[in-house]
Amino acid sequence: MHIKTNTLKYINNSLVLMALVLLLGDTVSAQEVVTVDSTGVAKNTVEDSIKITAKKPDSIKPFKRFKAEGVSAVVGEYVILDSDIDKGYLEMKQQGLDIKDITRCELVGKLMEDKLYAHHAKIDSVVVADEQINEQISQQMDYMVSELGSEEKVVEYYRKDNMAQLRQELFEVNKTMALANQMQRKIIEDVEVTPEEVREFFFSIPEGDRPVFGAEVEVAQIVIEPKITEKAKQDVMNRLNEIRRDVVENGASFATKAVLYSKDPGSSSKGGLYKGIKKSSPLAKEFIDTAFSLQEGEVSEPFETEFGFHILMVDKVKGQELDVRHILMLPDVSQSTIDDARAKIDSIRTKVVNGELSFADAAMKYSDEKETRFSGGQLVNPVSGDTRFELTKMDPALSAQVYNLKANEVSKVYSDRDRTGKTKFKFLTVTRRYEEHKADFSKDYEKIKELALKQKQVKEIEKWQNEKIDETYVKVNEDYQDCNFTSNWLKK
């Protein structure tokens, strides 16, 4: 759902701007700004929408030099340093945001909100696992090293003595943020809206200021995969068995083998490592079952999942969680089987276009994609959970295929590759189109309900924040006494 800028005038006055940002991204901030996507969910960005906090001239250019260390504010047990603001700029840059118009007033306000949530999360005994934080730090360090070139340069950039010191500091920052997020969720977890509240919310918006929802489509697809021969399967099993023997009998490094041979783009560069695997993790059932059947240091026999063939080693057992390494290999696909798959999908498309078979019936009878086959090939938006996709927010590869299709028109056959590199053939149809339109209460009830809920959640956040600021020790440095904060941090 895309809300055009000129429709936000009223919504801003009624706090919906703040509502749209709630629960999106890692942190909710009254100083943040919002856009809305096709699912009715706000995107937590700074650059793409309207700033809530008034701007003040800011002569300090981030990334150009370091400020002398000093205390910017104190909230409860937390101290906010000038360097924390500098790091806030860096984090936004890492997220690809435009930082040139973001003032230090806005950032110190956001940091104070984070500290207020974290302070009261500790008082309320909110718990965040250290393992979760360490995983976040590893991802952050990978990014920073890729940007600056080496760990030494990252340490130098942050003016730390060594990597251990930097990691400890990042741990504290990330732990605080995680506590803040948990506290925010706790505050609004029981907030709901009634149908009457949704109606009142919508009809309180002047007709000329009601949001405009962008064009959306519902899409179905038929997928045909080249068949894998039994010989190709056996060949890949043999290769995995050879690697396993070299590890088990000769002491070869499993991690090195994964870097050299694994076809999993998400883990091969890390020696096949996946950390913190649980029985409830969203991985292939065969993968989870195999992992939890092994002892620490044990290497599995080859096994098959929908992604290909694997061997797996348990790297470390940590209570109910495992760190594992795996190697994924794919059977070779011959040109003849690729040609057969292309001929098959061309034939299916011809039957659909000629009216011999409906698209839904063809999907149920022929499609190799089990996730969509029994729904007639209907795709589900992974963000919203419904079947609508906004054209401007879709995956570019998918959007290119359906952008100009009319309802019930069939696309040409095209080839696609999944994350493991396997080739598939597809063709699609648009089962329904929704043209850009001004919000309609009956047609867009679910989206309007989501906006009304977020408005109510933000009001609950505001109420909680105002109460907690009054009862919490807050001290703001004189450098920020003239800031136009959205919350009463100065207690005037």
Side-chain angles (χ1 to χ4, degrees):
M1 175 179 67
H2 175 64
I3 298 182
K4 290 186 174 178
T5 302
N6 63 1
T7 69
L8 287 173
K9 197 165 39 178
Y10 172 80
I11 296 175
N12 184 42
N13 293 336
S14 64
L15 293 176
V16 177
L17 261 179
M18 292 172 62
L20 296 179
V21 80
L22 192 63
L23 289 181
L24 271 296
D26 285 338
T27 305
V28 176
S29 169
Q31 274 95 24
E32 289 176 345
V33 297
V34 295
T35 59
V36 182
D37 65 16
S38 61
T39 68
V41 177
K43 290 169 61 181
N44 199 9
T45 67
V46 178
E47 61 198 344
D48 292 333
S49 191
I50 299 172
K51 306 294 185 293
I52 296 175
T53 305
K55 290 283 183 284
K56 285 177 62 66
D58 189 3
S59 61
I60 298 171
K61 300 299 183 183
F63 308 114
K64 298 299 184 183
R65 62 181 177 86
F66 286 99
K67 279 193 66 179
E69 188 72 302
V71 175
S72 297
V74 178
V75 178
E77 66 184 81
Y78 290 99
V79 176
I80 300 170
L81 303 175
D82 290 335
S83 61
D84 295 329
I85 303 174
D86 294 325
K87 281 178 284 192
Y89 281 115
L90 179 61
E91 289 167 5
M92 288 191 292
K93 184 182 179 185
Q94 289 173 353
Q95 296 169 18
L97 303 178
D98 185 355
I99 61 174
K100 65 179 182 296
D101 294 326
I102 307 303
T103 70
R104 297 184 79 85
C105 282
E106 289 177 305
L107 276 185
V108 77
K110 180 183 183 302
L111 288 170
M112 285 192 290
E113 288 183 2
D114 294 339
K115 305 306 184 188
L116 183 71
Y117 293 128
H119 175 71
H120 287 280
K122 287 186 175 182
I123 293 174
D124 291 355
S125 301
V126 173
V127 177
V128 174
D130 288 353
E131 184 60 35
Q132 171 189 337
I133 306 304
N134 287 326
E135 183 66 23
Q136 292 175 0
I137 293 171
S138 295
Q139 295 173 1
Q140 290 171 346
M141 291 306 303
D142 288 345
Y143 174 84
M144 289 186 285
V145 169
S146 69
E147 287 291 300
L148 299 178
S150 69
E151 289 188 355
E152 290 75 17
K153 289 183 179 179
V154 173
V155 171
E156 180 183 356
Y157 182 86
Y158 278 105
R159 295 195 303 171
K160 300 302 172 186
D161 295 332
N162 51 58
M163 182 58 71
Q165 188 183 74
L166 175 57
R167 282 183 174 274
Q168 179 59 35
E169 182 173 297
L170 288 174
F171 180 89
E172 297 301 327
V173 171
N174 281 274
K175 186 69 173 277
T176 300
M177 294 293 290
L179 286 169
N181 295 337
Q182 291 285 78
M183 191 68 232
Q184 290 162 348
R185 294 185 182 96
K186 182 178 179 180
I187 294 165
I188 53 88
E189 62 185 356
D190 295 325
V191 177
E192 297 179 347
V193 287
T194 66
E196 184 56 33
E197 286 175 320
V198 177
R199 171 179 284 277
E200 289 177 1
F201 165 78
F202 180 74
F203 288 104
S204 67
I205 305 174
E207 187 171 349
D209 290 334
R210 288 174 186 167
V212 173
F213 298 151
E216 296 173 309
V217 292
E218 294 181 347
V219 180
Q221 67 181 14
I222 292 174
V223 179
I224 299 296
E225 301 178 9
K227 299 303 179 186
I228 307 298
T229 66
E230 289 303 317
K231 181 181 182 306
K233 291 181 181 180
Q234 191 57 53
D235 286 345
V236 77
M237 294 276 281
N238 291 341
R239 292 201 297 272
L240 285 169
N241 272 318
E242 289 175 7
I243 293 172
R244 181 181 184 276
R245 281 194 297 270
D246 199 17
V247 172
V248 173
E249 298 175 9
N250 302 325
S253 167
F254 193 102
T256 300
K257 296 287 188 182
V259 171
L260 292 173
Y261 302 115
S262 182
K263 300 301 182 184
D264 178 9
S267 70
S268 60
S269 64
K270 298 182 290 185
L273 182 64
Y274 280 104
K275 300 181 72 173
I277 301 299
K278 304 176 183 178
K279 288 187 177 180
S280 59
S281 296
L283 299 169
K285 181 180 183 299
E286 301 88 347
F287 191 98
I288 293 293
D289 290 347
T290 301
F292 280 89
S293 71
L294 301 175
Q295 300 296 317
E296 187 171 304
E298 189 176 358
V299 182
S300 75
E301 300 286 344
F303 63 96
E304 183 179 6
T305 71
E306 61 184 301
F307 301 103
F309 291 83
H310 314 248
I311 55 173
L312 181 150
M313 182 183 78
V314 174
D315 203 51
K316 189 174 183 180
V317 177
K318 300 179 294 184
Q320 300 300 310
E321 296 184 1
L322 306 176
D323 289 349
V324 303
R325 296 183 186 273
H326 86 123
I327 295 171
L328 170 68
M329 285 190 167
L330 308 175
D332 292 331
V333 180
S334 67
Q335 186 60 47
S336 63
T337 59
I338 293 174
D339 293 342
D340 289 344
R342 179 60 196 243
K344 180 179 180 180
I345 198 168
D346 283 340
S347 174
I348 296 168
R349 182 182 182 278
T350 297
K351 290 180 180 180
V352 172
V353 171
N354 291 342
E356 300 174 40
L357 201 60
S358 72
F359 193 100
D361 288 343
M364 287 188 280
K365 186 173 182 180
Y366 296 112
S367 182
D368 289 328
E369 187 172 67
K370 62 182 180 180
E371 294 86 357
T372 61
R373 179 194 306 156
F374 298 109
S375 62
Q378 193 75 53
L379 295 179
V380 175
N381 189 322
V383 177
S384 65
D386 63 22
T387 56
R388 291 191 182 190
F389 294 81
E390 186 180 351
L391 282 170
T392 59
K393 306 295 182 183
M394 290 176 73
D395 176 88
L398 182 59
S399 176
Q401 299 298 325
V402 303
Y403 194 87
N404 293 316
L405 288 183
K406 299 175 182 177
N408 299 315
E409 188 177 358
V410 175
S411 76
K412 295 180 179 179
V413 173
Y414 70 101
S415 62
D416 192 16
R417 290 181 181 270
D418 65 17
R419 63 186 295 273
T420 64
K422 290 194 297 186
T423 297
K424 302 178 180 181
F425 293 105
K426 300 180 179 182
F427 68 95
L428 310 107
T429 188
V430 171
T431 56
R432 191 168 181 181
R433 291 188 74 100
Y434 304 85
E435 299 304 328
E436 181 177 279
H437 63 284
K438 184 167 287 191
D440 179 278
F441 184 74
S442 58
K443 293 179 180 178
D444 303 303
Y445 179 82
E446 290 301 322
K447 293 182 179 133
I448 295 165
K449 178 182 177 181
E450 186 70 16
L451 294 178
L453 175 62
K454 292 189 187 308
Q455 182 197 49
K456 190 173 181 180
Q457 288 171 337
V458 163
K459 286 182 177 179
E460 191 67 23
I461 286 280
E462 276 197 324
K463 178 183 175 183
W464 179 92
Q465 194 176 96
N466 289 333
E467 291 174 355
K468 297 305 180 184
I469 288 175
D470 284 343
E471 66 185 55
T472 305
Y473 176 78
V474 177
K475 178 68 174 178
V476 181
N477 186 286
E478 62 182 9
D479 290 344
Y480 300 97
Q481 291 292 318
D482 292 331
C483 289
N484 185 21
F485 296 121
T486 58
S487 298
N488 188 28
W489 295 109
L490 302 176
K491 298 189 178 183
K492 293 181 178 179

